[in-house]
Amino acid sequence: MNKEISNFLNTDIKKLKIAVFGDIMLDRYLTGVVERISPEAPVPINRIQNDRSVLGGAANTAANLSTLGCQVHMVGRIGNDQAGKNVRKLLHLAGINDEGVIVSDNYSTISKIRILSGCQQMMRLDFENIIPLQLSDKSFFQRFLNFLAKSGLNAFVISDYGKGVVNEEIAQFIIHLGSDLRIPVVVDPKGSDWTKYRGAYSITPNVKELSDCVGHVVPNDEEKVCNAGSQIRKKYGIKRLYITRSEKGITSLDDRGICTCKSAARDVYDVSGAGDTVVAVVAAASANHMDIHSILSLANIAAGIAVSKVGTYQVRREELITAIEERNRENEL
């Protein structure tokens, strides 16, 4: 482990204060055993043995930042319902500040229930009620985010899942605020129109999200990915793109050129939430002004840990340190 990465993970990361704004969700996993088919219909009977709830959506990014050691503020909305209460409980357990979370009576907390047999996902049930933000909600978010920024914030994350929280007005407010105060704004995008992200410090799409934005399928080939990425950077005035490319790693594009860090070989059990892990690492490393090679290496290793676990998973700082040390030993052989 080089000195910069060692200092970052052992010392510097604990000093970082990062705000995550976006669509908060609750991820619930019902895991059981399938041994027979139902006599009522030709469907498997899943005898549930474990019921686990974790933070999802933007809250998963916040949770990843917290387990990495950062001081985290969650900003978003939940409903005044049981799922919302579970979210707040999980935020508190994770040590995440939730003063920026609005509890709304006319909104239902977004929940995703995944039903598994062993490690195999059988079905996903989504509960969501997408409604636009009220004027009072927007005003609160702007005041709160402005307060955070001026109290010594190191980075913003905009985690957009397309569920109504991240509108153009607030996204541009955050991006301009970050630009004025020299606070990096890292965006996890959604949808085909990235106008609301224009001027962001960095955006972290996967290849599908890149394809959605340019309007055609982009093969996972470095030249084609970079051509599409360059078009997007120019169109929206983005300082740097981090394009996650599954087994081919992560490619970054900025004014200095192109840099690709290939993935380490890992058994992949579940990719859900892995993008949130990448966003968290990129945001923390960017806040610490690390060089691009270190950022890509850390993000790749962290993503490798995340996909090797079943379900939404938050990578711990100690886990990341161990994985880096193991990789270094393997490279020495």
Side-chain angles (χ1 to χ4, degrees), residues 191-247:
S192 58
D193 184 2
W194 289 6
T195 303
K196 61 182 171 181
Y197 312 134
R198 64 189 183 277
Y201 179 83
S202 62
I203 298 188
T204 61
N206 56 35
V207 176
K208 182 185 181 302
E209 290 163 341
L210 186 74
S211 300
D212 291 342
C213 186
V214 297
H216 61 81
V217 175
V218 178
N220 196 359
D221 167 83
E222 179 141 338
E223 182 180 358
K224 291 180 172 60
V225 163
C226 291
N227 286 340
S230 296
Q231 292 175 35
I232 290 171
R233 280 194 66 231
K234 183 177 180 180
K235 181 176 181 179
Y236 296 107
I238 308 302
K239 183 174 181 179
R240 180 179 289 161
L241 277 183
Y242 292 92
I243 304 165
T244 55
R245 302 172 54 204
S246 301
E247 73 282 356

Short mmCIF file of all heavy atoms in Angstrom, two decimals, residues 191-247:
data_model
loop_
_atom_site.label_atom_id
_atom_site.label_comp_id
_atom_site.label_asym_id
_atom_site.label_seq_id
_atom_site.Cartn_x
_atom_site.Cartn_y
_atom_site.Cartn_z
N GLY A 191 -31.48 8.33 -15.77
CA GLY A 191 -32.25 8.86 -16.89
C GLY A 191 -31.39 9.25 -18.09
O GLY A 191 -30.17 9.15 -18.07
N SER A 192 -32.07 9.73 -19.13
CA SER A 192 -31.40 10.04 -20.39
C SER A 192 -31.02 11.51 -20.54
O SER A 192 -30.20 11.85 -21.39
CB SER A 192 -32.31 9.63 -21.57
OG SER A 192 -33.55 10.32 -21.49
N ASP A 193 -31.62 12.38 -19.74
CA ASP A 193 -31.33 13.81 -19.83
C ASP A 193 -30.55 14.25 -18.61
O ASP A 193 -31.08 14.29 -17.50
CB ASP A 193 -32.64 14.60 -19.94
CG ASP A 193 -32.40 16.10 -20.14
OD1 ASP A 193 -31.22 16.51 -20.24
OD2 ASP A 193 -33.39 16.85 -20.20
N TRP A 194 -29.28 14.58 -18.84
CA TRP A 194 -28.41 14.97 -17.72
C TRP A 194 -28.28 16.48 -17.59
O TRP A 194 -27.35 16.97 -16.96
CB TRP A 194 -27.03 14.34 -17.89
CG TRP A 194 -27.01 12.86 -17.69
CD1 TRP A 194 -28.07 12.03 -17.50
CD2 TRP A 194 -25.86 12.02 -17.67
NE1 TRP A 194 -27.66 10.72 -17.37
CE2 TRP A 194 -26.30 10.69 -17.48
CE3 TRP A 194 -24.49 12.25 -17.81
CZ2 TRP A 194 -25.43 9.61 -17.41
CZ3 TRP A 194 -23.62 11.18 -17.75
CH2 TRP A 194 -24.08 9.88 -17.54
N THR A 195 -29.24 17.21 -18.13
CA THR A 195 -29.18 18.67 -18.06
C THR A 195 -29.09 19.15 -16.61
O THR A 195 -28.37 20.11 -16.30
CB THR A 195 -30.43 19.30 -18.73
OG1 THR A 195 -30.50 18.85 -20.08
CG2 THR A 195 -30.36 20.81 -18.71
N LYS A 196 -29.81 18.48 -15.72
CA LYS A 196 -29.80 18.93 -14.33
C LYS A 196 -28.46 18.72 -13.63
O LYS A 196 -28.21 19.29 -12.58
CB LYS A 196 -30.91 18.23 -13.54
CG LYS A 196 -30.81 16.71 -13.45
CD LYS A 196 -32.03 16.17 -12.68
CE LYS A 196 -32.12 14.67 -12.75
NZ LYS A 196 -33.31 14.15 -12.04
N TYR A 197 -27.56 17.91 -14.25
CA TYR A 197 -26.24 17.68 -13.66
C TYR A 197 -25.15 18.57 -14.28
O TYR A 197 -23.97 18.43 -13.93
CB TYR A 197 -25.81 16.22 -13.84
CG TYR A 197 -26.84 15.19 -13.48
CD1 TYR A 197 -27.09 14.11 -14.34
CD2 TYR A 197 -27.58 15.25 -12.30
CE1 TYR A 197 -28.03 13.13 -14.02
CE2 TYR A 197 -28.51 14.28 -11.98
CZ TYR A 197 -28.74 13.23 -12.85
OH TYR A 197 -29.66 12.26 -12.54
N ARG A 198 -25.52 19.44 -15.22
CA ARG A 198 -24.50 20.20 -15.95
C ARG A 198 -23.60 20.98 -14.97
O ARG A 198 -24.08 21.58 -14.01
CB ARG A 198 -25.16 21.16 -16.95
CG ARG A 198 -26.01 22.24 -16.36
CD ARG A 198 -26.80 23.00 -17.44
NE ARG A 198 -27.57 24.11 -16.87
CZ ARG A 198 -28.76 23.97 -16.32
NH1 ARG A 198 -29.32 22.77 -16.27
NH2 ARG A 198 -29.39 25.02 -15.82
N GLY A 199 -22.31 20.93 -15.27
CA GLY A 199 -21.34 21.64 -14.45
C GLY A 199 -20.86 20.89 -13.23
O GLY A 199 -20.08 21.42 -12.44
N ALA A 200 -21.30 19.62 -13.05
CA ALA A 200 -20.90 18.85 -11.87
C ALA A 200 -19.41 18.54 -11.91
O ALA A 200 -18.80 18.44 -12.98
CB ALA A 200 -21.69 17.56 -11.77
N TYR A 201 -18.82 18.36 -10.75
CA TYR A 201 -17.40 18.02 -10.65
C TYR A 201 -17.15 16.65 -11.28
O TYR A 201 -16.23 16.48 -12.08
CB TYR A 201 -16.97 18.02 -9.18
CG TYR A 201 -15.53 17.66 -8.95
CD1 TYR A 201 -14.53 18.61 -9.07
CD2 TYR A 201 -15.16 16.36 -8.60
CE1 TYR A 201 -13.19 18.28 -8.86
CE2 TYR A 201 -13.84 16.02 -8.38
CZ TYR A 201 -12.86 16.98 -8.51
OH TYR A 201 -11.55 16.64 -8.31
N SER A 202 -17.97 15.67 -10.93
CA SER A 202 -17.82 14.34 -11.55
C SER A 202 -19.14 13.59 -11.54
O SER A 202 -20.01 13.83 -10.70
CB SER A 202 -16.73 13.52 -10.83
OG SER A 202 -17.07 13.29 -9.48
N ILE A 203 -19.28 12.67 -12.51
CA ILE A 203 -20.46 11.82 -12.62
C ILE A 203 -19.98 10.37 -12.77
O ILE A 203 -18.97 10.10 -13.41
CB ILE A 203 -21.34 12.23 -13.82
CG1 ILE A 203 -21.84 13.66 -13.63
CG2 ILE A 203 -22.53 11.29 -13.98
CD1 ILE A 203 -22.86 14.11 -14.66
N THR A 204 -20.73 9.44 -12.17
CA THR A 204 -20.28 8.04 -12.12
C THR A 204 -21.27 7.08 -12.78
O THR A 204 -21.86 6.24 -12.10
CB THR A 204 -20.06 7.61 -10.65
OG1 THR A 204 -21.32 7.72 -9.96
CG2 THR A 204 -19.05 8.49 -9.95
N PRO A 205 -21.46 7.15 -14.10
CA PRO A 205 -22.41 6.24 -14.75
C PRO A 205 -21.81 4.85 -14.99
O PRO A 205 -20.59 4.70 -15.09
CB PRO A 205 -22.67 6.93 -16.09
CG PRO A 205 -21.36 7.59 -16.40
CD PRO A 205 -20.83 8.07 -15.07
N ASN A 206 -22.69 3.85 -15.10
CA ASN A 206 -22.24 2.58 -15.65
C ASN A 206 -22.47 2.63 -17.16
O ASN A 206 -22.97 3.64 -17.69
CB ASN A 206 -22.96 1.39 -15.00
CG ASN A 206 -24.48 1.48 -15.10
OD1 ASN A 206 -25.02 1.97 -16.10
ND2 ASN A 206 -25.17 1.02 -14.08
N VAL A 207 -22.14 1.57 -17.87
CA VAL A 207 -22.23 1.61 -19.34
C VAL A 207 -23.68 1.76 -19.80
O VAL A 207 -23.95 2.45 -20.78
CB VAL A 207 -21.58 0.35 -19.95
CG1 VAL A 207 -21.76 0.32 -21.47
CG2 VAL A 207 -20.09 0.30 -19.62
N LYS A 208 -24.63 1.14 -19.10
CA LYS A 208 -26.03 1.27 -19.48
C LYS A 208 -26.49 2.72 -19.31
O LYS A 208 -27.20 3.27 -20.17
CB LYS A 208 -26.92 0.35 -18.64
CG LYS A 208 -28.39 0.44 -19.04
CD LYS A 208 -29.27 -0.38 -18.13
CE LYS A 208 -30.73 -0.30 -18.57
NZ LYS A 208 -31.23 1.10 -18.61
N GLU A 209 -26.12 3.34 -18.20
CA GLU A 209 -26.51 4.74 -17.96
C GLU A 209 -25.85 5.67 -18.98
O GLU A 209 -26.45 6.65 -19.41
CB GLU A 209 -26.14 5.13 -16.53
CG GLU A 209 -27.02 4.45 -15.49
CD GLU A 209 -26.45 4.49 -14.08
OE1 GLU A 209 -25.23 4.72 -13.94
OE2 GLU A 209 -27.22 4.26 -13.13
N LEU A 210 -24.64 5.33 -19.37
CA LEU A 210 -23.95 6.08 -20.42
C LEU A 210 -24.72 5.96 -21.74
O LEU A 210 -24.94 6.94 -22.45
CB LEU A 210 -22.53 5.55 -20.59
CG LEU A 210 -21.60 6.30 -21.54
CD1 LEU A 210 -21.14 7.62 -20.93
CD2 LEU A 210 -20.37 5.43 -21.88
N SER A 211 -25.16 4.74 -22.04
CA SER A 211 -25.94 4.48 -23.26
C SER A 211 -27.26 5.26 -23.24
O SER A 211 -27.67 5.84 -24.25
CB SER A 211 -26.22 2.98 -23.40
OG SER A 211 -25.03 2.24 -23.49
N ASP A 212 -27.93 5.26 -22.09
CA ASP A 212 -29.20 5.99 -21.97
C ASP A 212 -29.00 7.47 -22.27
O ASP A 212 -29.84 8.11 -22.93
CB ASP A 212 -29.77 5.84 -20.56
CG ASP A 212 -30.26 4.43 -20.27
OD1 ASP A 212 -30.48 3.67 -21.23
OD2 ASP A 212 -30.43 4.09 -19.08
N CYS A 213 -27.88 8.01 -21.82
CA CYS A 213 -27.63 9.45 -21.99
C CYS A 213 -27.32 9.81 -23.44
O CYS A 213 -27.82 10.82 -23.94
CB CYS A 213 -26.48 9.88 -21.08
SG CYS A 213 -26.21 11.67 -21.08
N VAL A 214 -26.52 8.98 -24.13
CA VAL A 214 -26.17 9.32 -25.52
C VAL A 214 -27.24 8.90 -26.51
O VAL A 214 -27.23 9.31 -27.67
CB VAL A 214 -24.80 8.70 -25.93
CG1 VAL A 214 -23.68 9.27 -25.10
CG2 VAL A 214 -24.84 7.18 -25.85
N GLY A 215 -28.19 8.05 -26.06
CA GLY A 215 -29.32 7.70 -26.92
C GLY A 215 -29.12 6.48 -27.78
O GLY A 215 -29.93 6.22 -28.68
N HIS A 216 -28.08 5.71 -27.55
CA HIS A 216 -27.87 4.45 -28.28
C HIS A 216 -27.02 3.52 -27.43
O HIS A 216 -26.34 3.96 -26.49
CB HIS A 216 -27.21 4.70 -29.64
CG HIS A 216 -25.85 5.34 -29.55
ND1 HIS A 216 -24.70 4.63 -29.28
CD2 HIS A 216 -25.47 6.64 -29.69
CE1 HIS A 216 -23.67 5.45 -29.26
NE2 HIS A 216 -24.10 6.67 -29.50
N VAL A 217 -27.04 2.24 -27.77
CA VAL A 217 -26.28 1.25 -27.00
C VAL A 217 -24.79 1.46 -27.23
O VAL A 217 -24.32 1.51 -28.38
CB VAL A 217 -26.68 -0.18 -27.41
CG1 VAL A 217 -25.78 -1.20 -26.70
CG2 VAL A 217 -28.14 -0.43 -27.07
N VAL A 218 -24.04 1.60 -26.14
CA VAL A 218 -22.59 1.75 -26.21
C VAL A 218 -21.96 0.42 -25.81
O VAL A 218 -22.12 -0.02 -24.67
CB VAL A 218 -22.09 2.87 -25.27
CG1 VAL A 218 -20.56 2.98 -25.34
CG2 VAL A 218 -22.73 4.20 -25.61
N PRO A 219 -21.28 -0.26 -26.73
CA PRO A 219 -20.60 -1.51 -26.37
C PRO A 219 -19.54 -1.26 -25.29
O PRO A 219 -18.96 -0.17 -25.23
CB PRO A 219 -19.95 -1.96 -27.69
CG PRO A 219 -20.69 -1.23 -28.75
CD PRO A 219 -21.10 0.08 -28.15
N ASN A 220 -19.31 -2.27 -24.47
CA ASN A 220 -18.33 -2.12 -23.38
C ASN A 220 -16.91 -2.29 -23.93
O ASN A 220 -16.15 -3.16 -23.52
CB ASN A 220 -18.61 -3.13 -22.28
CG ASN A 220 -17.89 -2.77 -20.99
OD1 ASN A 220 -17.17 -1.78 -20.91
ND2 ASN A 220 -18.10 -3.58 -19.96
N ASP A 221 -16.59 -1.43 -24.86
CA ASP A 221 -15.28 -1.39 -25.52
C ASP A 221 -14.66 -0.03 -25.18
O ASP A 221 -15.34 0.99 -25.26
CB ASP A 221 -15.46 -1.55 -27.03
CG ASP A 221 -14.20 -1.21 -27.81
OD1 ASP A 221 -13.33 -2.08 -27.93
OD2 ASP A 221 -14.10 -0.05 -28.28
N GLU A 222 -13.37 -0.03 -24.83
CA GLU A 222 -12.77 1.21 -24.31
C GLU A 222 -12.91 2.38 -25.27
O GLU A 222 -13.27 3.48 -24.86
CB GLU A 222 -11.29 0.98 -23.96
CG GLU A 222 -10.62 2.23 -23.43
CD GLU A 222 -9.65 1.95 -22.30
OE1 GLU A 222 -9.76 0.92 -21.62
OE2 GLU A 222 -8.78 2.79 -22.09
N GLU A 223 -12.64 2.17 -26.55
CA GLU A 223 -12.70 3.27 -27.50
C GLU A 223 -14.11 3.84 -27.61
O GLU A 223 -14.32 5.06 -27.59
CB GLU A 223 -12.22 2.81 -28.88
CG GLU A 223 -12.22 3.93 -29.92
CD GLU A 223 -11.75 3.47 -31.29
OE1 GLU A 223 -11.38 2.29 -31.43
OE2 GLU A 223 -11.75 4.31 -32.22
N LYS A 224 -15.11 2.94 -27.70
CA LYS A 224 -16.49 3.39 -27.85
C LYS A 224 -17.00 4.04 -26.56
O LYS A 224 -17.74 5.03 -26.59
CB LYS A 224 -17.37 2.22 -28.27
CG LYS A 224 -17.08 1.73 -29.69
CD LYS A 224 -17.96 0.58 -30.08
CE LYS A 224 -17.79 0.21 -31.56
NZ LYS A 224 -16.42 -0.18 -31.90
N VAL A 225 -16.63 3.47 -25.42
CA VAL A 225 -17.01 4.05 -24.13
C VAL A 225 -16.42 5.45 -23.98
O VAL A 225 -17.09 6.39 -23.56
CB VAL A 225 -16.56 3.13 -22.97
CG1 VAL A 225 -16.58 3.87 -21.64
CG2 VAL A 225 -17.46 1.90 -22.88
N CYS A 226 -15.16 5.59 -24.35
CA CYS A 226 -14.49 6.88 -24.22
C CYS A 226 -15.05 7.92 -25.18
O CYS A 226 -15.18 9.10 -24.83
CB CYS A 226 -12.98 6.72 -24.42
SG CYS A 226 -12.17 5.82 -23.08
N ASN A 227 -15.41 7.50 -26.40
CA ASN A 227 -16.01 8.42 -27.35
C ASN A 227 -17.34 8.96 -26.83
O ASN A 227 -17.62 10.17 -26.89
CB ASN A 227 -16.22 7.74 -28.70
CG ASN A 227 -14.93 7.54 -29.48
OD1 ASN A 227 -13.94 8.22 -29.21
ND2 ASN A 227 -14.93 6.62 -30.42
N ALA A 228 -18.16 8.05 -26.30
CA ALA A 228 -19.45 8.46 -25.74
C ALA A 228 -19.24 9.36 -24.52
O ALA A 228 -19.93 10.37 -24.35
CB ALA A 228 -20.28 7.23 -25.36
N GLY A 229 -18.29 8.98 -23.68
CA GLY A 229 -18.01 9.77 -22.48
C GLY A 229 -17.53 11.17 -22.82
O GLY A 229 -17.91 12.15 -22.17
N SER A 230 -16.70 11.29 -23.85
CA SER A 230 -16.19 12.59 -24.27
C SER A 230 -17.32 13.50 -24.75
O SER A 230 -17.33 14.71 -24.48
CB SER A 230 -15.15 12.42 -25.38
OG SER A 230 -14.02 11.73 -24.90
N GLN A 231 -18.28 12.91 -25.49
CA GLN A 231 -19.45 13.68 -25.95
C GLN A 231 -20.23 14.24 -24.76
O GLN A 231 -20.62 15.42 -24.76
CB GLN A 231 -20.38 12.78 -26.77
CG GLN A 231 -19.85 12.32 -28.11
CD GLN A 231 -20.81 11.34 -28.78
OE1 GLN A 231 -22.04 11.48 -28.65
NE2 GLN A 231 -20.27 10.35 -29.46
N ILE A 232 -20.41 13.40 -23.76
CA ILE A 232 -21.18 13.81 -22.58
C ILE A 232 -20.45 14.89 -21.79
O ILE A 232 -21.04 15.87 -21.34
CB ILE A 232 -21.49 12.59 -21.70
CG1 ILE A 232 -22.50 11.68 -22.42
CG2 ILE A 232 -22.03 13.01 -20.34
CD1 ILE A 232 -22.71 10.36 -21.75
N ARG A 233 -19.16 14.71 -21.60
CA ARG A 233 -18.37 15.71 -20.87
C ARG A 233 -18.49 17.08 -21.53
O ARG A 233 -18.68 18.11 -20.86
CB ARG A 233 -16.89 15.31 -20.81
CG ARG A 233 -16.54 14.27 -19.77
CD ARG A 233 -15.03 14.22 -19.57
NE ARG A 233 -14.55 15.48 -18.99
CZ ARG A 233 -13.54 16.20 -19.48
NH1 ARG A 233 -12.91 15.81 -20.57
NH2 ARG A 233 -13.17 17.31 -18.89
N LYS A 234 -18.36 17.09 -22.84
CA LYS A 234 -18.42 18.35 -23.59
C LYS A 234 -19.83 18.95 -23.53
O LYS A 234 -19.98 20.17 -23.32
CB LYS A 234 -18.02 18.10 -25.04
CG LYS A 234 -17.98 19.37 -25.89
CD LYS A 234 -17.51 19.06 -27.31
CE LYS A 234 -17.47 20.32 -28.16
NZ LYS A 234 -17.01 20.03 -29.55
N LYS A 235 -20.85 18.13 -23.68
CA LYS A 235 -22.23 18.61 -23.73
C LYS A 235 -22.66 19.22 -22.39
O LYS A 235 -23.35 20.25 -22.36
CB LYS A 235 -23.16 17.46 -24.11
CG LYS A 235 -24.63 17.88 -24.22
CD LYS A 235 -25.49 16.72 -24.69
CE LYS A 235 -26.95 17.15 -24.83
NZ LYS A 235 -27.80 16.03 -25.31
N TYR A 236 -22.27 18.55 -21.29
CA TYR A 236 -22.77 18.99 -19.98
C TYR A 236 -21.72 19.69 -19.11
O TYR A 236 -22.01 20.05 -17.97
CB TYR A 236 -23.36 17.79 -19.22
CG TYR A 236 -24.57 17.20 -19.91
CD1 TYR A 236 -24.47 15.97 -20.56
CD2 TYR A 236 -25.78 17.87 -19.93
CE1 TYR A 236 -25.57 15.41 -21.20
CE2 TYR A 236 -26.89 17.33 -20.57
CZ TYR A 236 -26.77 16.10 -21.20
OH TYR A 236 -27.86 15.57 -21.85
N GLY A 237 -20.52 19.88 -19.64
CA GLY A 237 -19.51 20.60 -18.88
C GLY A 237 -19.07 19.89 -17.62
O GLY A 237 -18.90 20.51 -16.56
N ILE A 238 -18.87 18.58 -17.72
CA ILE A 238 -18.48 17.77 -16.57
C ILE A 238 -16.95 17.72 -16.47
O ILE A 238 -16.28 17.45 -17.47
CB ILE A 238 -19.03 16.32 -16.69
CG1 ILE A 238 -20.54 16.35 -16.96
CG2 ILE A 238 -18.70 15.51 -15.45
CD1 ILE A 238 -21.36 17.06 -15.93
N LYS A 239 -16.42 17.93 -15.29
CA LYS A 239 -14.97 17.91 -15.13
C LYS A 239 -14.40 16.51 -15.35
O LYS A 239 -13.40 16.33 -16.04
CB LYS A 239 -14.56 18.42 -13.75
CG LYS A 239 -13.05 18.48 -13.55
CD LYS A 239 -12.67 19.14 -12.24
CE LYS A 239 -11.15 19.21 -12.09
NZ LYS A 239 -10.74 19.87 -10.84
N ARG A 240 -15.04 15.51 -14.74
CA ARG A 240 -14.51 14.14 -14.86
C ARG A 240 -15.65 13.12 -14.85
O ARG A 240 -16.58 13.23 -14.06
CB ARG A 240 -13.54 13.84 -13.72
CG ARG A 240 -12.94 12.44 -13.75
CD ARG A 240 -11.97 12.25 -12.59
NE ARG A 240 -10.75 13.01 -12.79
CZ ARG A 240 -9.89 13.34 -11.82
NH1 ARG A 240 -10.16 12.98 -10.58
NH2 ARG A 240 -8.80 14.03 -12.08
N LEU A 241 -15.54 12.13 -15.72
CA LEU A 241 -16.47 11.00 -15.73
C LEU A 241 -15.76 9.77 -15.19
O LEU A 241 -14.60 9.51 -15.53
CB LEU A 241 -16.95 10.69 -17.15
CG LEU A 241 -18.10 11.49 -17.77
CD1 LEU A 241 -18.41 10.92 -19.14
CD2 LEU A 241 -19.34 11.45 -16.90
N TYR A 242 -16.46 9.02 -14.34
CA TYR A 242 -15.99 7.70 -13.90
C TYR A 242 -17.00 6.69 -14.44
O TYR A 242 -18.13 6.62 -13.95
CB TYR A 242 -15.95 7.60 -12.38
CG TYR A 242 -14.92 8.47 -11.71
CD1 TYR A 242 -15.24 9.75 -11.27
CD2 TYR A 242 -13.62 8.01 -11.49
CE1 TYR A 242 -14.30 10.55 -10.64
CE2 TYR A 242 -12.68 8.81 -10.86
CZ TYR A 242 -13.02 10.07 -10.44
OH TYR A 242 -12.09 10.86 -9.81
N ILE A 243 -16.61 5.92 -15.45
CA ILE A 243 -17.54 4.98 -16.08
C ILE A 243 -17.24 3.58 -15.55
O ILE A 243 -16.16 3.02 -15.79
CB ILE A 243 -17.40 5.01 -17.61
CG1 ILE A 243 -17.61 6.45 -18.12
CG2 ILE A 243 -18.41 4.06 -18.25
CD1 ILE A 243 -17.15 6.65 -19.54
N THR A 244 -18.20 3.00 -14.81
CA THR A 244 -18.01 1.64 -14.29
C THR A 244 -18.40 0.64 -15.37
O THR A 244 -19.47 0.74 -15.96
CB THR A 244 -18.85 1.42 -13.01
OG1 THR A 244 -20.22 1.73 -13.28
CG2 THR A 244 -18.37 2.34 -11.90
N ARG A 245 -17.50 -0.34 -15.60
CA ARG A 245 -17.63 -1.21 -16.76
C ARG A 245 -17.62 -2.70 -16.37
O ARG A 245 -17.07 -3.53 -17.06
CB ARG A 245 -16.49 -0.91 -17.75
CG ARG A 245 -16.47 0.55 -18.21
CD ARG A 245 -15.24 0.85 -19.04
NE ARG A 245 -15.11 -0.07 -20.16
CZ ARG A 245 -13.95 -0.34 -20.77
NH1 ARG A 245 -12.83 0.24 -20.36
NH2 ARG A 245 -13.93 -1.19 -21.76
N SER A 246 -18.26 -3.01 -15.24
CA SER A 246 -18.35 -4.41 -14.77
C SER A 246 -16.97 -5.04 -14.66
O SER A 246 -16.08 -4.46 -14.06
CB SER A 246 -19.26 -5.22 -15.69
OG SER A 246 -20.55 -4.64 -15.72
N GLU A 247 -16.80 -6.19 -15.31
CA GLU A 247 -15.53 -6.93 -15.17
C GLU A 247 -14.35 -6.21 -15.82
O GLU A 247 -13.19 -6.56 -15.58
CB GLU A 247 -15.67 -8.34 -15.77
CG GLU A 247 -15.72 -8.41 -17.28
CD GLU A 247 -17.06 -8.05 -17.89
OE1 GLU A 247 -18.01 -7.79 -17.11
OE2 GLU A 247 -17.17 -8.02 -19.13
#
